[in-house]
Amino acid sequence: ALFDKYHFLNSEYFVNISRAQEDNNLHIVLEAFRALPDNKLVMISNWDISQYGIDLKKAYKNIYPNIYILDAIYDLKEINAIRGNTKAYIHSHSYCGTAPSLVEAMSIGIPIISFDVPTNRETTQNKAFYFGNGDELIKIIKTLNSDLLNKNRLAMKKIADLEYTWENIANKYAKLFFSL
């Protein structure tokens, strides 16, 4: 049923899941994929919460055949099907700290292309692919191959398995709490 609902699941695509706010740089990702017509992008957001999101949705939805604009999806089965079949996750957030969407993608072994800010580098231990603008993102997409993606996938999964487990996080909070 999900393959009928989301036809792109039958092909290679990149995915971005973000709130529709400017510091999540959705415009940069969309502009890059506008210039990459042979690469598909699935972008999931709560478009209607801001003028920024409304404007982007209007400018891109059903305009470019390689760009799929989807409203926020809260069904875990659906979102995991979309994330789990992607070629890579594009994390475009620039002011988020340790973003749950980034850690979730890492934990299911998805290659990561991330906006280049210290918090994202810290989360991915400097092992993701990093971009700071649309041209850099385009260059990354054009140079990716299955070997690079697989190495990144394994690195992201290893980091998530070691750093972002409930046990590890709880132990760090306990250690911090008892040191006060």
Side-chain angles (χ1 to χ4, degrees), residues 45-174:
S45 187
N46 53 352
W47 301 101
D48 300 325
I49 65 154
S50 67
Q51 193 60 51
Y52 173 76
I54 292 166
D55 292 345
L56 286 176
K57 185 177 180 180
K58 182 179 178 184
Y60 286 91
K61 187 172 176 115
N62 300 323
I63 306 295
Y64 301 94
N66 65 315
I67 298 175
Y68 299 84
I69 301 293
L70 302 180
D71 289 324
I73 299 169
Y74 299 102
D75 181 283
L76 192 57
K77 182 179 177 183
E78 286 189 31
I79 201 76
N80 282 340
I82 294 168
R83 276 194 297 215
N85 285 296
T86 190
K87 187 172 184 175
Y89 175 70
I90 300 174
H91 183 71
S92 57
H93 305 182
S94 59
Y95 295 114
C96 60
T98 304
S101 60
L102 176 57
V103 173
E104 288 170 354
M106 292 169 63
S107 71
I108 56 177
I110 299 172
I112 303 295
I113 303 168
S114 180
F115 196 76
D116 194 1
V117 292
T119 53
N120 294 340
R121 281 191 174 268
E122 178 71 24
T123 302
T124 60
Q125 297 181 359
N126 292 308
K127 293 181 178 156
F129 302 101
Y130 301 98
F131 68 98
N133 59 50
D135 290 337
E136 291 173 3
L137 179 56
I138 289 168
K139 184 178 177 183
I140 290 167
I141 302 273
K142 286 183 174 182
T143 59
L144 288 176
N145 61 48
S146 59
D147 185 52
L148 289 171
L149 288 166
N150 194 48
K151 286 179 182 175
N152 184 262
R153 172 189 333 279
L154 295 172
M156 294 300 105
K157 178 74 170 130
K158 182 177 180 181
I159 293 166
D161 288 348
L162 292 173
E163 297 293 329
Y164 302 111
T165 65
W166 284 110
E167 181 181 0
N168 188 37
I169 300 300
N171 286 337
K172 286 182 178 184
Y173 273 110

